[in-house]
Amino acid sequence: MKEVVLRHPLSSRIVHFVNMICWYGLFLSGILVYFKMVDNYERAFLMKLHILFAAILTLVIVSYIVVTPDRVFLFMQEVLNWDKDTIAWWKNFGGYPYKFLGKTKIYKYIEKFWFAKPGCPPQTKYNAGQKLLGLTVIFSLAILGFTGWFLYFFREALGKNGVLLFFNLHVWIAIIVTLFVTFVHIPLVLVNWPDFVSMFRLGSGTVPVEWAKEHNPKWFEREVAELKED
Amino acid sequence: MKWFVEKPASVRLSRRALLKIFGISIAAIAVGAYKITDLFAHRNKYIKMRQKGQYKDDERVRKVYKLAASHQNPMIKRFYDEFAIQPFGEVSEELLHTTYFKRTGGF
């Protein structure tokens, strides 16, 4: 009998999807404007688009907090819960360097280093790397939202130095976090295919139980219960 | 097929405690956001009034001298050519820029 566990409920998947679309929309429009890659008229249009994406993203995140506070609580509790196994994960990055390089010729040069050792300490719903990503996204969304809307509504009141500070924070946090998400989060989630499928498939956001037991044993043992059999 | 789901938040936290946490957080954020926006909206009022005055002056000068753009203003040109060197330079910043604070204390 096939056994599955619900990893990403519908509300979380909608927020993730909207966040993804709006984030890259905001990033592309922002980059084209900031580095002056287009004409003045197009820049004015792109800024309007930037504000539209920001308004949609803000609305969806606020709705998520108001409509499903229990999901927000569970997510915050999960990403803030750093136990000894979470810390131990960082000693060898959960065994990922070994998984990627273990069978290559490069491995014999790096096998004595701590980060290349095999094995992974048992993790909860998200592993230590995903927890760091979760915290990064939460804090960057808060800072980007605050600085962005402040620049939009109250730029006159900030003064020259305040505007420069808020503007630089807004631009460079967005660039650094987008690079991190694009070159670390996306490739790693593609490696963990069942997790990717559970987030983006049209059906339910489930993963196979064997996969959950292997990757997130603490979550499966402590926080998961049987719902039904059909 | 056998289905498993995450235990609900109520297993870890009672409904009352959850409402308390979110109620207090939302109240604190709402009051804080209201106070900050009120403060800045008030401050913005005077800055926008000054800006409006400057744009009005600029329009008046352009009408008198029949200029297409503000940077063609002969007074501004002379000011930068002979005195302040460049916009955002040290001299222009000291003479033209202002800070906003309560100036009515002595009255």
Side-chain angles (χ1 to χ4, degrees), chain A residues 2 4-6 69 74 77 125 153 156-157 160 222-223 225 227-228 230, chain B residues 1-7 12-13 22 40 43-44 47-48 51 93:
Chain A
K2 196 180 172 191
V4 291
V5 52
L6 183 66
L74 286 172
Q77 198 189 39
K125 184 174 182 181
F153 286 114
E156 294 90 354
K160 194 172 78 176
R222 295 179 195 168
E223 289 154 32
L227 178 70
K228 62 174 180 178
D230 53 28
Chain B
M1 190 149 66
K2 214 176 202 179
W3 287 72
F4 292 86
V5 288
E6 211 168 359
K7 289 173 193 164
R12 284 180 244 180
L13 193 73
F22 277 89
F40 278 89
R43 195 175 146 81
N44 249 15
I47 298 170
K48 281 187 168 167
Q51 273 187 349
E93 188 159 326

PDB file of all heavy atoms in Angstrom, chain A residues 2 4-6 69 74 77 125 153 156-157 160 222-223 225 227-228 230, chain B residues 1-7 12-13 22 40 43-44 47-48 51 93:
ATOM      1  N   LYS A   2       0.495   2.198  -0.862  1.00  0.00           N
ATOM      2  CA  LYS A   2       1.270   3.425  -0.954  1.00  0.00           C
ATOM      3  C   LYS A   2       0.981   4.307   0.263  1.00  0.00           C
ATOM      4  O   LYS A   2      -0.174   4.488   0.645  1.00  0.00           O
ATOM      5  CB  LYS A   2       0.913   4.163  -2.244  1.00  0.00           C
ATOM      6  CG  LYS A   2       1.922   5.223  -2.616  1.00  0.00           C
ATOM      7  CD  LYS A   2       1.527   5.922  -3.884  1.00  0.00           C
ATOM      8  CE  LYS A   2       2.462   7.100  -4.116  1.00  0.00           C
ATOM      9  NZ  LYS A   2       2.012   7.978  -5.165  1.00  0.00           N
ATOM     10  N   VAL A   4       1.594   8.108   1.937  1.00  0.00           N
ATOM     11  CA  VAL A   4       2.035   9.482   1.665  1.00  0.00           C
ATOM     12  C   VAL A   4       1.783  10.379   2.875  1.00  0.00           C
ATOM     13  O   VAL A   4       0.894  10.098   3.680  1.00  0.00           O
ATOM     14  CB  VAL A   4       1.331  10.103   0.429  1.00  0.00           C
ATOM     15  CG1 VAL A   4       1.758   9.448  -0.850  1.00  0.00           C
ATOM     16  CG2 VAL A   4      -0.181  10.073   0.591  1.00  0.00           C
ATOM     17  N   VAL A   5       2.590  11.434   2.960  1.00  0.00           N
ATOM     18  CA  VAL A   5       2.405  12.385   4.054  1.00  0.00           C
ATOM     19  C   VAL A   5       2.314  13.789   3.462  1.00  0.00           C
ATOM     20  O   VAL A   5       3.070  14.147   2.563  1.00  0.00           O
ATOM     21  CB  VAL A   5       3.527  12.247   5.117  1.00  0.00           C
ATOM     22  CG1 VAL A   5       4.910  12.301   4.518  1.00  0.00           C
ATOM     23  CG2 VAL A   5       3.402  13.314   6.192  1.00  0.00           C
ATOM     24  N   LEU A   6       1.337  14.554   3.987  1.00  0.00           N
ATOM     25  CA  LEU A   6       1.132  15.914   3.479  1.00  0.00           C
ATOM     26  C   LEU A   6       2.245  16.817   4.010  1.00  0.00           C
ATOM     27  O   LEU A   6       2.366  17.038   5.207  1.00  0.00           O
ATOM     28  CB  LEU A   6      -0.231  16.455   3.942  1.00  0.00           C
ATOM     29  CG  LEU A   6      -0.586  17.840   3.417  1.00  0.00           C
ATOM     30  CD1 LEU A   6      -0.784  17.823   1.910  1.00  0.00           C
ATOM     31  CD2 LEU A   6      -1.840  18.372   4.097  1.00  0.00           C
ATOM     32  N   PRO A  69      -3.163  31.793  10.719  1.00  0.00           N
ATOM     33  CA  PRO A  69      -2.109  32.065  11.716  1.00  0.00           C
ATOM     34  C   PRO A  69      -1.468  30.791  12.259  1.00  0.00           C
ATOM     35  O   PRO A  69      -0.301  30.794  12.644  1.00  0.00           O
ATOM     36  CB  PRO A  69      -2.843  32.831  12.820  1.00  0.00           C
ATOM     37  CG  PRO A  69      -4.275  32.545  12.612  1.00  0.00           C
ATOM     38  CD  PRO A  69      -4.464  32.291  11.167  1.00  0.00           C
ATOM     39  N   LEU A  74       3.335  27.413  13.055  1.00  0.00           N
ATOM     40  CA  LEU A  74       4.088  26.157  12.865  1.00  0.00           C
ATOM     41  C   LEU A  74       5.384  26.415  12.080  1.00  0.00           C
ATOM     42  O   LEU A  74       6.436  25.873  12.404  1.00  0.00           O
ATOM     43  CB  LEU A  74       3.236  25.128  12.118  1.00  0.00           C
ATOM     44  CG  LEU A  74       2.109  24.484  12.927  1.00  0.00           C
ATOM     45  CD1 LEU A  74       1.220  23.635  12.020  1.00  0.00           C
ATOM     46  CD2 LEU A  74       2.655  23.631  14.068  1.00  0.00           C
ATOM     47  N   GLN A  77       7.858  28.335  14.323  1.00  0.00           N
ATOM     48  CA  GLN A  77       8.401  27.449  15.348  1.00  0.00           C
ATOM     49  C   GLN A  77       9.447  26.505  14.739  1.00  0.00           C
ATOM     50  O   GLN A  77      10.482  26.237  15.331  1.00  0.00           O
ATOM     51  CB  GLN A  77       7.257  26.650  15.985  1.00  0.00           C
ATOM     52  CG  GLN A  77       7.655  26.061  17.321  1.00  0.00           C
ATOM     53  CD  GLN A  77       6.624  25.089  17.846  1.00  0.00           C
ATOM     54  OE1 GLN A  77       6.035  24.312  17.098  1.00  0.00           O
ATOM     55  NE2 GLN A  77       6.406  25.132  19.138  1.00  0.00           N
ATOM     56  N   LYS A 125      11.182  18.901  10.199  1.00  0.00           N
ATOM     57  CA  LYS A 125      10.508  19.071   8.908  1.00  0.00           C
ATOM     58  C   LYS A 125      11.422  19.715   7.869  1.00  0.00           C
ATOM     59  O   LYS A 125      11.394  19.369   6.690  1.00  0.00           O
ATOM     60  CB  LYS A 125       9.243  19.918   9.075  1.00  0.00           C
ATOM     61  CG  LYS A 125       8.462  20.028   7.776  1.00  0.00           C
ATOM     62  CD  LYS A 125       7.153  20.744   7.968  1.00  0.00           C
ATOM     63  CE  LYS A 125       6.375  20.801   6.664  1.00  0.00           C
ATOM     64  NZ  LYS A 125       5.115  21.512   6.803  1.00  0.00           N
ATOM     65  N   PHE A 153       6.179  55.879   0.109  1.00  0.00           N
ATOM     66  CA  PHE A 153       5.234  56.817   0.721  1.00  0.00           C
ATOM     67  C   PHE A 153       5.894  58.026   1.406  1.00  0.00           C
ATOM     68  O   PHE A 153       5.325  59.100   1.450  1.00  0.00           O
ATOM     69  CB  PHE A 153       4.355  56.094   1.739  1.00  0.00           C
ATOM     70  CG  PHE A 153       3.315  55.215   1.100  1.00  0.00           C
ATOM     71  CD1 PHE A 153       3.353  53.841   1.238  1.00  0.00           C
ATOM     72  CD2 PHE A 153       2.294  55.790   0.352  1.00  0.00           C
ATOM     73  CE1 PHE A 153       2.393  53.037   0.643  1.00  0.00           C
ATOM     74  CE2 PHE A 153       1.336  54.990  -0.243  1.00  0.00           C
ATOM     75  CZ  PHE A 153       1.386  53.616  -0.104  1.00  0.00           C
ATOM     76  N   GLU A 156      10.340  61.838   1.168  1.00  0.00           N
ATOM     77  CA  GLU A 156      10.713  63.224   1.483  1.00  0.00           C
ATOM     78  C   GLU A 156      11.134  63.342   2.946  1.00  0.00           C
ATOM     79  O   GLU A 156      12.069  64.057   3.269  1.00  0.00           O
ATOM     80  CB  GLU A 156       9.548  64.182   1.225  1.00  0.00           C
ATOM     81  CG  GLU A 156       9.138  64.306  -0.224  1.00  0.00           C
ATOM     82  CD  GLU A 156       8.076  63.288  -0.601  1.00  0.00           C
ATOM     83  OE1 GLU A 156       7.758  62.426   0.237  1.00  0.00           O
ATOM     84  OE2 GLU A 156       7.569  63.360  -1.728  1.00  0.00           O
ATOM     85  N   ALA A 157      10.431  62.631   3.807  1.00  0.00           N
ATOM     86  CA  ALA A 157      10.678  62.751   5.240  1.00  0.00           C
ATOM     87  C   ALA A 157      11.968  62.067   5.679  1.00  0.00           C
ATOM     88  O   ALA A 157      12.468  62.319   6.766  1.00  0.00           O
ATOM     89  CB  ALA A 157       9.498  62.173   6.015  1.00  0.00           C
ATOM     90  N   LYS A 160      18.184  63.084   2.688  1.00  0.00           N
ATOM     91  CA  LYS A 160      19.079  62.513   1.662  1.00  0.00           C
ATOM     92  C   LYS A 160      19.775  61.235   2.147  1.00  0.00           C
ATOM     93  O   LYS A 160      19.779  60.222   1.472  1.00  0.00           O
ATOM     94  CB  LYS A 160      20.118  63.562   1.274  1.00  0.00           C
ATOM     95  CG  LYS A 160      20.868  63.216   0.009  1.00  0.00           C
ATOM     96  CD  LYS A 160      21.739  64.347  -0.428  1.00  0.00           C
ATOM     97  CE  LYS A 160      23.001  64.413   0.398  1.00  0.00           C
ATOM     98  NZ  LYS A 160      23.929  65.442  -0.055  1.00  0.00           N
ATOM     99  N   ARG A 222       7.624  12.538  15.359  1.00  0.00           N
ATOM    100  CA  ARG A 222       7.007  13.335  16.435  1.00  0.00           C
ATOM    101  C   ARG A 222       5.785  14.126  16.007  1.00  0.00           C
ATOM    102  O   ARG A 222       4.894  14.362  16.811  1.00  0.00           O
ATOM    103  CB  ARG A 222       8.030  14.338  16.981  1.00  0.00           C
ATOM    104  CG  ARG A 222       9.198  13.696  17.667  1.00  0.00           C
ATOM    105  CD  ARG A 222      10.124  14.798  18.120  1.00  0.00           C
ATOM    106  NE  ARG A 222      11.421  14.270  18.482  1.00  0.00           N
ATOM    107  CZ  ARG A 222      12.476  15.019  18.698  1.00  0.00           C
ATOM    108  NH1 ARG A 222      12.377  16.329  18.585  1.00  0.00           N
ATOM    109  NH2 ARG A 222      13.627  14.487  19.036  1.00  0.00           N
ATOM    110  N   GLU A 223       5.768  14.597  14.776  1.00  0.00           N
ATOM    111  CA  GLU A 223       4.756  15.594  14.442  1.00  0.00           C
ATOM    112  C   GLU A 223       3.758  15.158  13.375  1.00  0.00           C
ATOM    113  O   GLU A 223       2.977  15.969  12.885  1.00  0.00           O
ATOM    114  CB  GLU A 223       5.449  16.881  13.981  1.00  0.00           C
ATOM    115  CG  GLU A 223       6.120  17.601  15.118  1.00  0.00           C
ATOM    116  CD  GLU A 223       7.270  18.456  14.657  1.00  0.00           C
ATOM    117  OE1 GLU A 223       7.186  18.964  13.533  1.00  0.00           O
ATOM    118  OE2 GLU A 223       8.243  18.592  15.408  1.00  0.00           O
ATOM    119  N   ALA A 225       0.702  12.407  12.095  1.00  0.00           N
ATOM    120  CA  ALA A 225      -0.268  11.406  12.550  1.00  0.00           C
ATOM    121  C   ALA A 225      -1.015  10.845  11.345  1.00  0.00           C
ATOM    122  O   ALA A 225      -1.144  11.533  10.318  1.00  0.00           O
ATOM    123  CB  ALA A 225      -1.255  12.066  13.507  1.00  0.00           C
ATOM    124  N   LEU A 227      -3.998  10.008   8.989  1.00  0.00           N
ATOM    125  CA  LEU A 227      -5.274  10.686   8.772  1.00  0.00           C
ATOM    126  C   LEU A 227      -6.348   9.708   8.323  1.00  0.00           C
ATOM    127  O   LEU A 227      -7.399   9.580   8.931  1.00  0.00           O
ATOM    128  CB  LEU A 227      -5.089  11.802   7.737  1.00  0.00           C
ATOM    129  CG  LEU A 227      -6.343  12.573   7.355  1.00  0.00           C
ATOM    130  CD1 LEU A 227      -6.815  13.435   8.516  1.00  0.00           C
ATOM    131  CD2 LEU A 227      -6.084  13.453   6.137  1.00  0.00           C
ATOM    132  N   LYS A 228      -6.088   8.979   7.234  1.00  0.00           N
ATOM    133  CA  LYS A 228      -7.106   8.070   6.711  1.00  0.00           C
ATOM    134  C   LYS A 228      -6.461   7.016   5.813  1.00  0.00           C
ATOM    135  O   LYS A 228      -5.300   7.134   5.421  1.00  0.00           O
ATOM    136  CB  LYS A 228      -8.166   8.850   5.934  1.00  0.00           C
ATOM    137  CG  LYS A 228      -7.614   9.578   4.723  1.00  0.00           C
ATOM    138  CD  LYS A 228      -8.709  10.208   3.923  1.00  0.00           C
ATOM    139  CE  LYS A 228      -8.094  10.926   2.731  1.00  0.00           C
ATOM    140  NZ  LYS A 228      -9.007  11.536   1.837  1.00  0.00           N
ATOM    141  N   ASP A 230      -7.487   4.844   2.215  1.00  0.00           N
ATOM    142  CA  ASP A 230      -8.508   4.599   1.199  1.00  0.00           C
ATOM    143  C   ASP A 230      -7.952   3.763   0.054  1.00  0.00           C
ATOM    144  O   ASP A 230      -6.795   3.385   0.066  1.00  0.00           O
ATOM    145  CB  ASP A 230      -9.092   5.918   0.675  1.00  0.00           C
ATOM    146  CG  ASP A 230      -8.051   6.896   0.186  1.00  0.00           C
ATOM    147  OD1 ASP A 230      -6.966   6.462  -0.263  1.00  0.00           O
ATOM    148  OD2 ASP A 230      -8.314   8.101   0.279  1.00  0.00           O
TER     149      ASP A 230
ATOM    150  N   MET B   1      -4.602   3.755  -0.390  1.00  0.00           N
ATOM    151  CA  MET B   1      -3.476   4.634  -0.024  1.00  0.00           C
ATOM    152  C   MET B   1      -3.637   5.083   1.432  1.00  0.00           C
ATOM    153  O   MET B   1      -4.741   5.367   1.881  1.00  0.00           O
ATOM    154  CB  MET B   1      -3.447   5.857  -0.937  1.00  0.00           C
ATOM    155  CG  MET B   1      -2.201   6.664  -0.773  1.00  0.00           C
ATOM    156  SD  MET B   1      -1.662   7.518  -2.272  1.00  0.00           S
ATOM    157  CE  MET B   1      -2.949   8.688  -2.527  1.00  0.00           C
ATOM    158  N   LYS B   2      -2.504   5.132   2.135  1.00  0.00           N
ATOM    159  CA  LYS B   2      -2.525   5.555   3.536  1.00  0.00           C
ATOM    160  C   LYS B   2      -2.044   7.009   3.615  1.00  0.00           C
ATOM    161  O   LYS B   2      -0.974   7.329   3.090  1.00  0.00           O
ATOM    162  CB  LYS B   2      -1.573   4.656   4.324  1.00  0.00           C
ATOM    163  CG  LYS B   2      -2.010   4.365   5.729  1.00  0.00           C
ATOM    164  CD  LYS B   2      -1.036   3.391   6.346  1.00  0.00           C
ATOM    165  CE  LYS B   2      -1.661   2.655   7.492  1.00  0.00           C
ATOM    166  NZ  LYS B   2      -0.727   1.687   8.070  1.00  0.00           N
ATOM    167  N   TRP B   3      -2.857   7.866   4.242  1.00  0.00           N
ATOM    168  CA  TRP B   3      -2.532   9.297   4.317  1.00  0.00           C
ATOM    169  C   TRP B   3      -2.064   9.676   5.718  1.00  0.00           C
ATOM    170  O   TRP B   3      -2.681   9.317   6.701  1.00  0.00           O
ATOM    171  CB  TRP B   3      -3.766  10.134   3.989  1.00  0.00           C
ATOM    172  CG  TRP B   3      -4.137  10.131   2.556  1.00  0.00           C
ATOM    173  CD1 TRP B   3      -4.692   9.099   1.852  1.00  0.00           C
ATOM    174  CD2 TRP B   3      -3.965  11.207   1.634  1.00  0.00           C
ATOM    175  NE1 TRP B   3      -4.882   9.460   0.551  1.00  0.00           N
ATOM    176  CE2 TRP B   3      -4.453  10.760   0.374  1.00  0.00           C
ATOM    177  CE3 TRP B   3      -3.467  12.509   1.733  1.00  0.00           C
ATOM    178  CZ2 TRP B   3      -4.440  11.556  -0.749  1.00  0.00           C
ATOM    179  CZ3 TRP B   3      -3.467  13.303   0.615  1.00  0.00           C
ATOM    180  CH2 TRP B   3      -3.946  12.816  -0.620  1.00  0.00           C
ATOM    181  N   PHE B   4      -0.974  10.445   5.751  1.00  0.00           N
ATOM    182  CA  PHE B   4      -0.511  10.999   7.024  1.00  0.00           C
ATOM    183  C   PHE B   4      -0.510  12.526   6.919  1.00  0.00           C
ATOM    184  O   PHE B   4      -0.244  13.073   5.848  1.00  0.00           O
ATOM    185  CB  PHE B   4       0.919  10.539   7.337  1.00  0.00           C
ATOM    186  CG  PHE B   4       1.030   9.078   7.642  1.00  0.00           C
ATOM    187  CD1 PHE B   4       1.183   8.144   6.608  1.00  0.00           C
ATOM    188  CD2 PHE B   4       0.992   8.614   8.953  1.00  0.00           C
ATOM    189  CE1 PHE B   4       1.284   6.797   6.888  1.00  0.00           C
ATOM    190  CE2 PHE B   4       1.103   7.271   9.234  1.00  0.00           C
ATOM    191  CZ  PHE B   4       1.246   6.342   8.194  1.00  0.00           C
ATOM    192  N   VAL B   5      -0.803  13.179   8.038  1.00  0.00           N
ATOM    193  CA  VAL B   5      -0.743  14.653   8.038  1.00  0.00           C
ATOM    194  C   VAL B   5      -0.019  15.142   9.293  1.00  0.00           C
ATOM    195  O   VAL B   5       0.084  14.418  10.287  1.00  0.00           O
ATOM    196  CB  VAL B   5      -2.136  15.335   8.025  1.00  0.00           C
ATOM    197  CG1 VAL B   5      -2.808  15.190   6.697  1.00  0.00           C
ATOM    198  CG2 VAL B   5      -2.998  14.801   9.141  1.00  0.00           C
ATOM    199  N   GLU B   6       0.431  16.371   9.196  1.00  0.00           N
ATOM    200  CA  GLU B   6       1.092  17.006  10.330  1.00  0.00           C
ATOM    201  C   GLU B   6       0.047  17.230  11.426  1.00  0.00           C
ATOM    202  O   GLU B   6      -1.089  17.607  11.119  1.00  0.00           O
ATOM    203  CB  GLU B   6       1.612  18.359   9.856  1.00  0.00           C
ATOM    204  CG  GLU B   6       2.858  18.821  10.543  1.00  0.00           C
ATOM    205  CD  GLU B   6       3.458  20.020   9.803  1.00  0.00           C
ATOM    206  OE1 GLU B   6       2.911  20.444   8.776  1.00  0.00           O
ATOM    207  OE2 GLU B   6       4.456  20.519  10.270  1.00  0.00           O
ATOM    208  N   LYS B   7       0.454  17.041  12.685  1.00  0.00           N
ATOM    209  CA  LYS B   7      -0.497  17.336  13.773  1.00  0.00           C
ATOM    210  C   LYS B   7      -0.781  18.828  13.779  1.00  0.00           C
ATOM    211  O   LYS B   7       0.133  19.629  13.537  1.00  0.00           O
ATOM    212  CB  LYS B   7       0.102  16.918  15.118  1.00  0.00           C
ATOM    213  CG  LYS B   7       0.176  15.405  15.280  1.00  0.00           C
ATOM    214  CD  LYS B   7       0.932  15.046  16.532  1.00  0.00           C
ATOM    215  CE  LYS B   7       1.283  13.580  16.517  1.00  0.00           C
ATOM    216  NZ  LYS B   7       2.304  13.232  17.494  1.00  0.00           N
ATOM    217  N   ARG B  12       0.258  21.643  19.915  1.00  0.00           N
ATOM    218  CA  ARG B  12       1.401  22.284  20.571  1.00  0.00           C
ATOM    219  C   ARG B  12       1.007  23.545  21.327  1.00  0.00           C
ATOM    220  O   ARG B  12       1.696  23.991  22.219  1.00  0.00           O
ATOM    221  CB  ARG B  12       2.439  22.650  19.515  1.00  0.00           C
ATOM    222  CG  ARG B  12       3.201  21.449  19.045  1.00  0.00           C
ATOM    223  CD  ARG B  12       4.203  21.856  18.020  1.00  0.00           C
ATOM    224  NE  ARG B  12       3.894  21.260  16.733  1.00  0.00           N
ATOM    225  CZ  ARG B  12       4.615  21.460  15.647  1.00  0.00           C
ATOM    226  NH1 ARG B  12       5.653  22.242  15.694  1.00  0.00           N
ATOM    227  NH2 ARG B  12       4.307  20.876  14.524  1.00  0.00           N
ATOM    228  N   LEU B  13      -0.107  24.107  20.924  1.00  0.00           N
ATOM    229  CA  LEU B  13      -0.483  25.409  21.493  1.00  0.00           C
ATOM    230  C   LEU B  13      -2.003  25.490  21.513  1.00  0.00           C
ATOM    231  O   LEU B  13      -2.648  25.177  20.519  1.00  0.00           O
ATOM    232  CB  LEU B  13       0.082  26.494  20.559  1.00  0.00           C
ATOM    233  CG  LEU B  13       0.099  27.912  21.062  1.00  0.00           C
ATOM    234  CD1 LEU B  13       1.196  28.076  22.119  1.00  0.00           C
ATOM    235  CD2 LEU B  13       0.391  28.858  19.907  1.00  0.00           C
ATOM    236  N   PHE B  22      -0.910  36.043  18.545  1.00  0.00           N
ATOM    237  CA  PHE B  22      -1.179  36.809  17.328  1.00  0.00           C
ATOM    238  C   PHE B  22      -1.881  38.133  17.631  1.00  0.00           C
ATOM    239  O   PHE B  22      -1.602  39.144  16.993  1.00  0.00           O
ATOM    240  CB  PHE B  22      -1.973  35.966  16.329  1.00  0.00           C
ATOM    241  CG  PHE B  22      -1.071  35.074  15.538  1.00  0.00           C
ATOM    242  CD1 PHE B  22      -0.752  33.806  15.988  1.00  0.00           C
ATOM    243  CD2 PHE B  22      -0.501  35.522  14.353  1.00  0.00           C
ATOM    244  CE1 PHE B  22       0.112  32.999  15.284  1.00  0.00           C
ATOM    245  CE2 PHE B  22       0.362  34.711  13.642  1.00  0.00           C
ATOM    246  CZ  PHE B  22       0.672  33.448  14.105  1.00  0.00           C
ATOM    247  N   PHE B  40       5.587  60.366  10.303  1.00  0.00           N
ATOM    248  CA  PHE B  40       6.209  60.706   9.021  1.00  0.00           C
ATOM    249  C   PHE B  40       5.246  61.453   8.103  1.00  0.00           C
ATOM    250  O   PHE B  40       5.669  62.311   7.346  1.00  0.00           O
ATOM    251  CB  PHE B  40       6.778  59.459   8.347  1.00  0.00           C
ATOM    252  CG  PHE B  40       8.124  59.107   8.897  1.00  0.00           C
ATOM    253  CD1 PHE B  40       8.252  58.289   9.995  1.00  0.00           C
ATOM    254  CD2 PHE B  40       9.283  59.631   8.336  1.00  0.00           C
ATOM    255  CE1 PHE B  40       9.481  57.989  10.536  1.00  0.00           C
ATOM    256  CE2 PHE B  40      10.521  59.337   8.863  1.00  0.00           C
ATOM    257  CZ  PHE B  40      10.625  58.511   9.969  1.00  0.00           C
ATOM    258  N   ARG B  43       5.437  64.979   9.234  1.00  0.00           N
ATOM    259  CA  ARG B  43       6.712  65.558   8.801  1.00  0.00           C
ATOM    260  C   ARG B  43       6.692  65.810   7.292  1.00  0.00           C
ATOM    261  O   ARG B  43       7.130  66.855   6.820  1.00  0.00           O
ATOM    262  CB  ARG B  43       7.816  64.558   9.159  1.00  0.00           C
ATOM    263  CG  ARG B  43       9.202  65.110   9.115  1.00  0.00           C
ATOM    264  CD  ARG B  43      10.150  64.035   9.612  1.00  0.00           C
ATOM    265  NE  ARG B  43      11.411  64.129   8.909  1.00  0.00           N
ATOM    266  CZ  ARG B  43      12.361  64.981   9.207  1.00  0.00           C
ATOM    267  NH1 ARG B  43      12.201  65.835  10.176  1.00  0.00           N
ATOM    268  NH2 ARG B  43      13.495  64.995   8.522  1.00  0.00           N
ATOM    269  N   ASN B  44       6.137  64.850   6.556  1.00  0.00           N
ATOM    270  CA  ASN B  44       6.065  64.971   5.097  1.00  0.00           C
ATOM    271  C   ASN B  44       5.267  66.191   4.665  1.00  0.00           C
ATOM    272  O   ASN B  44       5.548  66.764   3.627  1.00  0.00           O
ATOM    273  CB  ASN B  44       5.383  63.720   4.522  1.00  0.00           C
ATOM    274  CG  ASN B  44       6.353  62.884   3.761  1.00  0.00           C
ATOM    275  OD1 ASN B  44       7.553  63.071   3.889  1.00  0.00           O
ATOM    276  ND2 ASN B  44       5.856  61.966   2.958  1.00  0.00           N
ATOM    277  N   ILE B  47       7.493  69.199   4.376  1.00  0.00           N
ATOM    278  CA  ILE B  47       8.483  69.038   3.300  1.00  0.00           C
ATOM    279  C   ILE B  47       7.791  69.206   1.943  1.00  0.00           C
ATOM    280  O   ILE B  47       8.297  69.873   1.057  1.00  0.00           O
ATOM    281  CB  ILE B  47       9.178  67.666   3.405  1.00  0.00           C
ATOM    282  CG1 ILE B  47       9.920  67.585   4.737  1.00  0.00           C
ATOM    283  CG2 ILE B  47      10.140  67.459   2.256  1.00  0.00           C
ATOM    284  CD1 ILE B  47      10.449  66.233   5.081  1.00  0.00           C
ATOM    285  N   LYS B  48       6.599  68.607   1.823  1.00  0.00           N
ATOM    286  CA  LYS B  48       5.870  68.705   0.554  1.00  0.00           C
ATOM    287  C   LYS B  48       5.420  70.147   0.299  1.00  0.00           C
ATOM    288  O   LYS B  48       5.398  70.591  -0.845  1.00  0.00           O
ATOM    289  CB  LYS B  48       4.675  67.752   0.556  1.00  0.00           C
ATOM    290  CG  LYS B  48       5.104  66.327   0.258  1.00  0.00           C
ATOM    291  CD  LYS B  48       3.931  65.409   0.092  1.00  0.00           C
ATOM    292  CE  LYS B  48       4.380  64.080  -0.480  1.00  0.00           C
ATOM    293  NZ  LYS B  48       3.354  63.071  -0.387  1.00  0.00           N
ATOM    294  N   GLN B  51       8.465  71.901  -1.027  1.00  0.00           N
ATOM    295  CA  GLN B  51       8.705  71.469  -2.422  1.00  0.00           C
ATOM    296  C   GLN B  51       7.744  72.163  -3.376  1.00  0.00           C
ATOM    297  O   GLN B  51       8.130  72.639  -4.432  1.00  0.00           O
ATOM    298  CB  GLN B  51       8.498  69.967  -2.534  1.00  0.00           C
ATOM    299  CG  GLN B  51       9.731  69.167  -2.206  1.00  0.00           C
ATOM    300  CD  GLN B  51       9.534  67.701  -2.502  1.00  0.00           C
ATOM    301  OE1 GLN B  51       8.419  67.254  -2.761  1.00  0.00           O
ATOM    302  NE2 GLN B  51      10.608  66.954  -2.449  1.00  0.00           N
ATOM    303  N   GLU B  93      25.230  72.410  -0.988  1.00  0.00           N
ATOM    304  CA  GLU B  93      24.564  71.657   0.092  1.00  0.00           C
ATOM    305  C   GLU B  93      24.404  72.540   1.333  1.00  0.00           C
ATOM    306  O   GLU B  93      23.360  72.565   1.967  1.00  0.00           O
ATOM    307  CB  GLU B  93      25.351  70.394   0.425  1.00  0.00           C
ATOM    308  CG  GLU B  93      24.594  69.515   1.384  1.00  0.00           C
ATOM    309  CD  GLU B  93      25.046  68.062   1.361  1.00  0.00           C
ATOM    310  OE1 GLU B  93      25.435  67.547   0.285  1.00  0.00           O
ATOM    311  OE2 GLU B  93      25.030  67.464   2.420  1.00  0.00           O
TER     312      GLU B  93
END
